[in-house]
Amino acid sequence: MRQPLARPLLLSALLGVLLLLPAPSPAPPPLADRIDELLGRWEVDEAFWGIAVYDIDAQEMIFSRNAEQAFLPASNQKLITSATALDVLGSTHRYETMLHYNGTTEGAVMRGDLILDGSGDPTFGSTQVRGEDPLEVWSQRLADMGVERIEGRLIGDDDAFDDRPYPEGWTVNYITDQKGRYIGNSAGGLSYRDNVVPVRVQATSPGAPPTVAIQPEGVVSVNNRATTGSRWRGSTLQINRTFSTNQLVLTGSVARSYSGTLAVPISDPTLFTLRSFVKHLRDAGIETDLELVDVDDLEDRPNPGDPLFVEYSRPLAEIAAVVNKESNNFYAEQLFRTYGWGGSARGAARRSKSFLREADINTRKLLIHDGSGLSRKDLVTPQAMVKLLTHMNDHEEREAFLASLPRGGEANTTLDYRLNQITVRAKTGSLEFVRALSGYTERANGNRVAFSLLANNYTGPSYRISRTIDDIVRAVATTGPQ
């Protein structure tokens, strides 16, 4: 008669077991809700945001906000520059810098024209890549060949580029005053050592000016208004360069213990290269009596004569990696003019837009004035950026382009301390009131995603904008299809 109680007891036991089990986790919010939540945090929604997130495998835009509006891209501009360079020149392209000689040799004396012929190589003598200094190597080779004296003209051929070293839209402080951190180096068809001169400053006695040493001598003039302070630490030294000249003005003070070297951009890359070559020749024990000449100052182009030496750059794939991983402005500007028609910034802008149109990208709202993104006249749309990234995902130079982008957490790149646990390759961008990140990541289902996140005109702390950008990328990477 007690058998009917078995079923209620069984149900009660099952209910007890179910109550002991953990409650199922709530489903994550949709991607759009998650991004909206992040943009509402810390009042970062006061910024002007442009966002485009495109699922490459599903071929659909999974989130957009102001994606067709134009934004300042900052260094995201380098994505356009590097992609165009890879398309036009190819990843195996190498620059050539040649030393020609047209003259006579009598014993140990060379008489005639030495011609340095540049092609715009950003790596020639650059401190950004490891390798021997080509001017030093060439000087030693001449000495090893028995040359003891060179007389005549040393001519710099910089006609690979036009003679406009700065593009439109750069802030003058990029060039003249960055408190020791200059970011606007002049471009040049004949460039050497990143077109910066090392300025060594050494403290002296309190109240006296510090000593200033520049190599090679004569490439800049110095107006030393700085003083040596009485304190052991703490310096307020500034080195300003008068715009369009090679005059440096030192102000502020240095501590009694101060000894340092600052890299200052020069305004005449060709003359800087020629003077540097003379210094290396003399260091190699060769006497010189040379007139330094820019080829533009000659009525007739000289006969180049026989090539003595040729310096080849590293392949463009490695140069593009310096552009994007380190966000090197000088390399970007040199690349820009290299593929530009006429070796000019304007010709490069037209070439870039031509490439973008071939990729079926609407360029009507795009403004391109430089290759680095320093210009505050550059404008891009997030939609155009993701279309560029999608195009390069199927491009024949895909591997070189992807390899040029920093990975999340990659050391010695602009993502060194960011997104280190996310599968991401992306280019950063930063100017005053501008932060950007565009690149690739993967969704939870493995689909590849191209994204472009641009923030302009914010007034709050920049770190909050950057944190929000990173968190949006994390949300994209961890949120599956709804």
Side-chain angles (χ1 to χ4, degrees), residues 46-260:
E46 293 181 358
F48 181 40
W49 283 92
I51 301 175
V53 184
Y54 182 76
D55 188 318
I56 297 174
D57 294 322
Q59 299 183 19
E60 65 172 338
M61 189 76 74
I62 57 177
F63 185 87
S64 69
R65 173 177 290 194
N66 300 320
E68 297 183 9
Q69 298 298 312
F71 290 80
L72 282 171
S75 284
N76 271 203
Q77 188 77 15
K78 294 182 176 75
L79 292 173
I80 297 176
T81 302
S82 55
T84 307
L86 288 168
D87 180 78
V88 173
L89 303 171
S91 57
T92 60
H93 173 80
R94 293 177 185 263
Y95 289 90
E96 296 179 6
T97 304
M98 293 183 282
L99 179 65
H100 297 273
Y101 176 58
N102 184 10
T104 60
T105 302
E106 297 180 11
V109 180
M110 296 172 64
R111 293 188 178 92
D113 289 338
L114 276 174
I115 303 170
L116 261 174
D117 185 5
S119 61
D121 181 6
T123 71
F124 190 70
S126 173
T127 60
Q128 299 300 307
V129 295
R130 294 180 179 178
E132 295 179 304
D133 186 316
L135 293 183
E136 182 178 351
V137 171
W138 290 353
S139 298
Q140 190 58 52
R141 285 181 183 174
L142 288 171
D144 293 341
M145 291 163 58
V147 177
E148 297 178 0
R149 182 176 174 83
I150 303 176
E151 300 173 355
R153 298 186 299 182
L154 178 58
I155 301 171
D157 189 342
D158 56 9
D159 283 355
F161 295 172
D162 69 1
D163 291 324
R164 297 180 178 179
Y166 307 115
E168 292 183 33
W170 278 19
T171 300
V172 69
N173 282 357
Y174 296 163
I175 304 163
T176 60
D177 177 16
Q178 277 291 311
K179 297 182 180 180
R181 184 181 177 272
Y182 296 81
I183 59 176
N185 299 8
S186 56
L190 178 60
S191 294
Y192 170 71
R193 209 179 186 278
D194 309 303
N195 288 348
V196 296
V197 59
V199 178
R200 182 168 180 77
V201 180
Q202 178 73 48
T204 56
S205 57
T211 60
V212 180
I214 296 172
Q215 293 293 338
E217 296 179 355
V219 294
V220 293
S221 61
V222 177
N223 182 355
N224 188 359
R225 302 178 187 172
T227 59
T228 300
S230 58
R231 60 191 179 282
W232 183 250
R233 294 182 179 178
S235 299
T236 60
L237 177 69
Q238 292 192 43
I239 302 180
N240 302 331
R241 180 164 70 80
T242 306
F243 183 70
S244 77
T245 75
N246 275 335
Q247 183 185 58
L248 304 182
V249 180
L250 277 66
T251 58
S253 66
V254 298
R256 289 185 294 124
S257 61
Y258 184 86
S259 177

Side-chain angles (χ1 to χ4, degrees), residues 239-481:
I239 302 180
N240 302 331
R241 180 164 70 80
T242 306
F243 183 70
S244 77
T245 75
N246 275 335
Q247 183 185 58
L248 304 182
V249 180
L250 277 66
T251 58
S253 66
V254 298
R256 289 185 294 124
S257 61
Y258 184 86
S259 177
T261 301
L262 302 177
V264 179
I266 45 86
S267 64
D268 190 338
T270 301
L271 181 60
F272 173 58
T273 305
L274 297 181
R275 286 190 180 276
S276 298
F277 192 24
V278 170
K279 176 187 180 298
H280 286 300
L281 288 169
R282 291 173 177 170
D283 289 346
I286 299 174
E287 295 181 3
T288 62
D289 183 9
L290 291 167
E291 178 188 2
L292 307 186
V293 183
D294 188 317
V295 73
D296 298 327
D297 297 331
L298 299 176
E299 292 185 5
D300 300 312
R301 290 186 64 86
N303 184 342
D306 297 325
L308 287 177
F309 308 120
V310 180
E311 175 72 11
Y312 296 96
S313 75
R314 298 188 179 194
L316 191 141
E318 295 184 29
I319 295 173
V322 176
V323 169
N324 288 330
K325 287 178 181 284
E326 302 177 25
S327 205
N328 189 296
N329 296 318
F330 172 65
Y331 277 40
E333 293 302 328
Q334 294 289 111
L335 269 187
F336 189 58
R337 286 162 177 77
T338 299
Y339 65 70
W341 287 304
S344 69
R346 289 185 178 181
R350 292 195 297 270
R351 195 70 176 267
S352 293
K353 284 193 172 184
S354 176
F355 162 67
L356 294 174
R357 286 191 291 269
E358 290 172 3
D360 195 29
I361 295 172
N362 184 358
T363 61
R364 186 174 60 85
K365 293 184 179 180
L366 273 60
L367 294 178
I368 298 175
H369 288 280
D370 69 1
S372 63
L374 289 179
S375 176
R376 299 196 78 92
K377 289 187 175 182
D378 292 333
L379 289 175
V380 304
T381 67
Q383 184 179 64
M385 292 301 290
V386 297
K387 291 194 74 171
L388 170 65
L389 292 164
T390 302
H391 177 73
M392 293 306 295
N393 187 63
D394 295 322
H395 195 278
E396 62 182 357
E397 295 289 0
R398 174 182 184 272
E399 293 306 318
F401 182 72
L402 289 176
S404 77
L405 302 179
R407 298 188 304 274
E410 184 177 0
N412 302 315
T413 73
T414 56
L415 285 183
D416 199 341
Y417 299 103
R418 297 174 62 179
L419 297 168
N420 61 349
Q421 295 181 342
I422 299 294
T423 301
V424 61
R425 283 186 178 270
K427 179 73 195 76
T428 58
S430 63
L431 284 175
E432 190 173 20
F433 312 124
V434 178
R435 289 295 182 271
L437 188 70
S438 297
Y440 305 97
T441 189
E442 291 183 3
R443 304 183 75 181
N445 66 345
N447 280 13
R448 192 164 180 78
V449 172
F451 64 86
S452 181
L453 310 174
L454 307 176
N456 286 187
N457 303 334
Y458 59 86
T459 57
S462 295
Y463 77 89
R464 290 184 175 178
I465 300 295
S466 297
R467 281 277 303 276
T468 299
I469 286 174
D470 289 357
D471 286 345
I472 290 174
V473 174
R474 291 188 182 94
V476 173
T478 57
T479 303

